[in-house]
């Protein structure tokens, strides 16, 4: 939407947005060539003008991710490739993150491509494939630091791959490609090392609080299970258990049913990465399911192999017709819940939010010269307008906003409800003063077809 800021990760490292910087640069150049007055200077460009392009780029990367997953599953057989690609295409978290101008989808693409190249390296046993796998792992790290765990895959293959004759050379090639790609993608990590270390330390402080690893791991496990359910809570979340069970069967089949020792070594490297990455995010004090996104394509491959293994077992025990029915029944049981979640999310993104409606109203009814203080941090002001965000209006008095020159405030119903639930007297008194002493201009109610918080626009009294 025009005013709603897409979900962004301001804690990402300094090099994490290279893709979107490149896309924004192309957008600016094309805007300048079209003689659009808004693109004569970077200072005059509205950041909202770049979001459609950035989101489109993320969606394209997510589409390529599905193809890479297919190529990985194809290492076992066509059925595994098609089923894995299908689950990657409908997994609700993969679908969700492909909508946003964030780093997680590009990170997942590079990590998954590293898995594929490592499998090729195990089959070909040529140093160049190990270098390519190292390069993609380096690009993953330049996208987001936790992508460094992907380097474990080519290194594992180099160590245990049965056909790798020059193991040391393969490891050096992978490590060299990794370092070269990382510094190429994040040059200021080396060119401005003090600031890089300073930023890294600041970033790490947000994640290294003391946490229970088992509690965090259980939380991610629950997120993963729920992603294969209908996402409606309650007992329906347990519908995700069959998918996890099939994924476990598939992880075992990935090793046992590999058609060659080389492919078994590649599978071992992939599983080492999956477990290592899961352990890494379980040690972080901030928890978001999108942090687990890089392991979800691997999980889709394991799920596909599990379904194929169960279908093959049924084929040996049942008639051909009954075996096919059982296989399709299992596939439907596992596929319908995540497909429903993904479809529901896509439909919800088509709805006009309360933030969008509030932005439209402010642009139509409030002079651009009037300052607006708003409580909803996802509302983006067009160029020329003076809209500022705050976490909570109750942190300052109404007189303070008047003295600062603000003419309007936008109150979030979610923040007001939180103050009532916590029975915070100071906050409640501040809100009461705002509502009793200001002029109510508009209340935009949230509803089933209008997502977002209820937003109330108040006009502050004139300065005395």
């Amino acid at each position: 939407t025009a005013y709603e800021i897409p979900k962004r990760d301001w804690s990402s490292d300094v090099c994490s947005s290279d893709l979107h910087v490149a896309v924004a640069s192309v957008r600016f150049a094309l805007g300048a060539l079209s003689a659009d007055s808004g693109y004569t200077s970077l200072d005059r460009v509205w950041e909202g003008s770049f979001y459609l392009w950035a989101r489109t780029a993320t969606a394209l990367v997510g589409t390529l991710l599905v193809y890479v997953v297919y190529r990985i599953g194809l290492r076992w057989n066509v059925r595994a490739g098609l089923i894995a690609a299908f689950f990657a295409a409908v997994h609700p978290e993969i679908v969700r993150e492909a909508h946003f101008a964030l780093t997680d989808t590009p990170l997942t693409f590079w990590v998954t491509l590293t898995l594929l190249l490592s499998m090729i390296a195990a089959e070909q046993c040529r140093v160049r494939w190990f270098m390519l796998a190292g390069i993609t792992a380096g690009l993953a790290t330049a996208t987001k630091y936790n992508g460094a765990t992907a380097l474990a895959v080519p290194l594992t293959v180099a160590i245990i791959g049965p056909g790798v004759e020059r193991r040391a050379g393969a490891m050096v090639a992978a490590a060299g490609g990794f370092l070269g790609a990382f510094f190429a993608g994040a040059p200021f990590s080396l060119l401005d090392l003090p600031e890089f270390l300073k930023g890294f330390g600041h970033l790490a402080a947000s994640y290294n609080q003391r946490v229970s690893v088992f509690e965090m791991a259980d939380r991610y496990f629950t997120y993963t299970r729920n992603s294969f359910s209908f996402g409606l809570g309650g007992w329906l979340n347990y519908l995700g258990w069959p998918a996890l069970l099939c994924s476990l069967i598939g992880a075992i089949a990935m090793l046992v049913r590999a058609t060659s020792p080389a492919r078994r070594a590649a599978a071992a490297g992939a599983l080492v990465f999956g477990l290592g990455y899961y352990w890494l995010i379980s040690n972080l004090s901030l928890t978001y399911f999108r942090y687990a996104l890089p392991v979800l394509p691997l999980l889709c491959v394991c799920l596909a192999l599990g379904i194929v293994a169960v279908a093959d077992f049924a084929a040996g025990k049942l008639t051909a017709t009954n075996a096919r029915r059982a296989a399709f029944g299992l596939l439907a049981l596992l596929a319908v819940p995540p497909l429903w979640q993904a479809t529901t999310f896509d439909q919800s993104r088509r709805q006009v939010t309360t933030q969008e409606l509030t932005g439209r109203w402010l642009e139509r009814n409030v002079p651009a010269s009037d300052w607006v203080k708003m409580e909803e941090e996802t509302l983006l002001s067009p160029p020329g307008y003076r809209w500022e965000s705050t976490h909570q209006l109750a942190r300052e008095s109404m007189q303070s906003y008047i003295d600062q020159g603000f003419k309007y405030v936008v109150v979030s119903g979610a923040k007001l409800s939180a103050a009532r639930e916590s029975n915070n007297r100071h906050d409640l008194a501040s809100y009461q003063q705002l509502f009793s002493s200001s002029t109510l201009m508009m209340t935009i109610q949230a509803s089933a077809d209008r997502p977002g918080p209820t937003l109330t626009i108040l006009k502050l009294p004139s300065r005395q």
Side-chain angles (χ1 to χ4, degrees), residues 207-275:
Y207 291 90
N208 61 8
Q209 306 300 316
R210 295 181 65 88
V211 296
S212 169
V213 176
F214 295 103
E215 179 182 344
M216 293 296 179
D218 179 67
R219 188 173 300 176
Y220 279 111
F221 182 84
T222 302
Y223 290 157
T224 306
R225 182 202 66 190
N226 294 349
S227 68
F228 287 101
S229 71
F230 287 98
L232 299 175
W235 66 269
L236 289 173
N237 286 340
Y238 293 103
L239 293 177
W241 276 107
L244 295 184
L245 179 60
C246 270
S247 298
L248 178 60
I249 295 172
I252 298 173
M254 180 179 286
L255 294 171
V256 175
R257 305 186 71 178
T259 56
S260 67
R263 194 159 294 164
R264 190 173 297 116
L271 294 178
V272 166
F273 157 74
L275 294 174

Side-chain angles (χ1 to χ4, degrees), residues 118-427:
S118 297
M119 291 182 174
I120 298 175
E123 298 165 1
Q124 301 290 332
C125 297
R126 295 182 180 179
V127 172
R128 66 183 181 188
W129 288 108
F130 287 96
M131 179 178 290
L132 288 173
I135 288 173
T136 52
L139 292 174
T141 310
T143 303
K144 206 167 186 177
Y145 294 140
N146 47 4
T149 52
L151 184 60
V153 188
L155 291 181
T156 300
V157 173
I159 293 171
I160 67 174
V164 181
E165 297 180 355
R166 294 185 293 170
R167 298 188 186 279
M171 294 176 66
V172 169
F178 172 85
L179 292 174
F182 173 73
F183 288 121
F188 288 100
S189 301
L190 186 62
L191 297 177
D192 196 359
L193 184 59
E195 284 299 315
F196 166 76
L197 294 176
K198 179 181 177 181
F200 184 83
H202 178 74
L203 175 67
S206 303
Y207 291 90
N208 61 8
Q209 306 300 316
R210 295 181 65 88
V211 296
S212 169
V213 176
F214 295 103
E215 179 182 344
M216 293 296 179
D218 179 67
R219 188 173 300 176
Y220 279 111
F221 182 84
T222 302
Y223 290 157
T224 306
R225 182 202 66 190
N226 294 349
S227 68
F228 287 101
S229 71
F230 287 98
L232 299 175
W235 66 269
L236 289 173
N237 286 340
Y238 293 103
L239 293 177
W241 276 107
L244 295 184
L245 179 60
C246 270
S247 298
L248 178 60
I249 295 172
I252 298 173
M254 180 179 286
L255 294 171
V256 175
R257 305 186 71 178
T259 56
S260 67
R263 194 159 294 164
R264 190 173 297 116
L271 294 178
V272 166
F273 157 74
L275 294 174
Y277 188 88
Y278 198 85
W279 176 86
L280 172 67
I281 60 175
S282 297
N283 278 275
L284 302 179
S285 52
L286 292 180
T287 308
Y288 298 99
F289 188 31
R290 58 189 169 89
Y291 290 171
L293 197 68
V295 298
L296 295 182
L298 176 61
L299 184 66
C300 291
V301 174
C302 290
L303 177 58
L305 292 174
I307 293 173
V308 171
V310 172
D312 290 345
F313 176 81
K317 300 293 183 179
L318 305 173
T319 63
T321 301
N322 289 336
R324 284 195 297 269
R325 289 175 179 173
F328 282 114
L330 176 63
L331 184 60
L333 173 68
L334 302 180
V336 169
L339 177 60
W340 186 88
Q341 270 199 74
T343 303
T344 301
F345 173 79
D346 283 340
Q347 291 175 342
S348 71
R349 295 302 298 178
R350 300 178 62 185
Q351 296 175 324
V352 179
T353 66
T354 57
Q355 294 98 326
E356 171 78 9
L357 294 174
T358 301
R360 293 177 185 175
W361 190 93
L362 290 174
E363 194 173 13
R364 288 195 308 265
N365 298 280
V366 175
S369 59
D370 287 356
W371 277 19
V372 180
K373 195 75 168 183
M374 58 189 59
E375 213 165 32
E376 183 50 54
E377 297 173 354
T378 60
L379 199 59
L380 177 69
S381 62
Y385 286 82
R386 309 174 75 178
W387 305 352
E388 294 185 8
S389 297
T390 182
H391 179 69
Q392 190 176 33
L393 286 168
R395 290 184 174 180
E396 298 183 48
S397 66
M398 182 183 70
Q399 189 60 46
S400 173
Y401 293 124
I402 296 174
D403 293 341
Q404 294 175 55
F406 289 101
K407 299 293 183 65
Y408 296 85
V409 294
V410 180
V411 181
S412 169
K415 302 294 177 65
L416 181 59
S417 297
R420 288 171 176 165
E421 291 175 2
S422 63
N423 197 27
N424 188 313
R425 294 183 179 180
H426 174 270
D427 291 351

Side-chain angles (χ1 to χ4, degrees), residues 60-76 80-86 88-89 94 105-120 136 294 296-298 300-301:
L60 291 174
V61 172
T63 303
L64 288 175
L65 171 65
V66 175
Y67 176 71
V68 175
V69 170
Y70 166 73
R71 293 299 301 271
I72 292 175
L74 203 60
R75 273 27 233 179
W76 280 264
L82 291 173
I83 296 173
F86 171 78
I94 295 177
T105 295
L107 165 67
T108 303
F109 171 78
W110 291 122
V111 167
T112 309
L113 187 57
T114 302
L115 298 181
L116 176 61
L117 292 174
S118 297
M119 291 182 174
I120 298 175
T136 52
L296 295 182
L298 176 61
C300 291
V301 174

